[in-house]
Amino acid sequence: MLKRFSSLLSSFTLIALVPCAVMAQGKSDFSQPMEVESSQEELDIKNNRLVLTDNVIIRQGTLLIRADRLEASASESAEQADIFIAEGTPATYSQTLDDGNEINAEAKKITYFQAEQRLELSGDARISQGSSSSSGSLITYDLDKQTVTASSSNEEDSRVITIFTPKPKTDTDEKNNENP
């Protein structure tokens, strides 16, 4: 039983993989120590479940996750946690990538399915990099395939919104346009 407890705690570091879903870089963060803070922690050894509540903050390098509640759980046959659920109003994450770009995501619920290498942002979900963003009721990111799918709820007038912001023109661009 202690071995399972140790596996659950060591696999808790996999929560850092949640933002990995949106990153193509930022790998240097995952070699840094992880610091997890909360006002309350509950470990259910029998059911392989760890719950952190009240002002949950996870830091690892430039990665920052904030949530009201975080649950890490493992199926009976799993030796380490395989599902991570961060909930908040909203739950958020941010990370500065190796190239200096920042990725931000937020949703009422952020679920990471480790075995499937899939991240789901649900409930007022939004993901952005630079000045471009996507929002919808559900955003799914497949880590392995590097694909993002966004969908709206079944409510009338509910739509997926993606915003692409053009790069500002520079003086060099304007001079190139003047001299054909």
Side-chain angles (χ1 to χ4, degrees):
M1 183 174 357
L2 187 55
K3 182 180 178 188
R4 296 197 73 146
F5 169 72
S6 297
S7 294
L8 180 62
L9 282 180
S10 65
S11 67
F12 181 70
T13 60
L14 292 174
I15 190 63
L17 293 177
V18 169
C20 180
V22 190
M23 65 159 218
Q25 307 170 20
K27 293 179 184 176
S28 61
D29 286 340
F30 300 103
S31 64
Q32 302 294 316
M34 179 186 292
E35 181 179 309
V36 181
E37 301 174 26
S38 68
S39 297
Q40 186 170 344
E41 178 178 307
E42 178 184 317
L43 177 63
D44 181 347
I45 297 170
K46 181 180 177 183
N47 294 308
N48 295 319
R49 190 175 72 133
L50 175 65
V51 177
L52 302 166
T53 55
D54 300 327
N55 194 23
V56 179
I57 301 171
I58 300 165
R59 290 184 185 94
Q60 187 176 32
T62 66
L63 176 148
L64 177 64
I65 298 171
R66 293 182 181 274
D68 298 330
R69 181 179 190 275
L70 177 77
E71 180 176 330
S73 61
S75 62
E76 182 138 340
S77 62
E79 289 191 22
Q80 57 185 352
D82 49 10
I83 298 175
F84 301 90
I85 302 170
E87 297 175 305
T89 52
T92 64
Y93 108 81
S94 64
Q95 181 180 21
T96 302
L97 304 178
D98 293 340
D99 64 2
N101 286 320
E102 188 170 305
I103 291 186
N104 294 290
E106 65 180 45
K108 290 180 181 174
K109 183 176 178 181
I110 300 173
T111 306
Y112 175 63
F113 300 91
Q114 181 207 359
E116 300 169 26
Q117 294 187 326
R118 181 170 44 96
L119 178 73
E120 286 184 359
L121 307 167
S122 58
D124 298 325
R126 176 183 156 95
I127 189 167
S128 64
Q129 180 175 3
S131 59
S132 300
S133 67
S134 290
S135 61
S137 296
L138 176 67
I139 297 174
T140 303
Y141 192 104
D142 185 311
L143 292 154
D144 187 39
K145 296 177 184 174
Q146 293 291 299
T147 59
V148 176
T149 306
S151 60
S152 61
S153 69
N154 292 330
E155 296 175 15
E156 191 174 321
D157 297 330
S158 177
R159 310 274 291 166
V160 172
I161 299 170
T162 301
I163 299 170
F164 299 101
T165 305
K167 180 180 164 185
K169 288 188 175 186
T170 64
D171 289 339
T172 306
D173 293 335
E174 290 179 18
K175 287 179 184 176
N176 287 341
N177 288 335
E178 291 174 3
N179 300 321

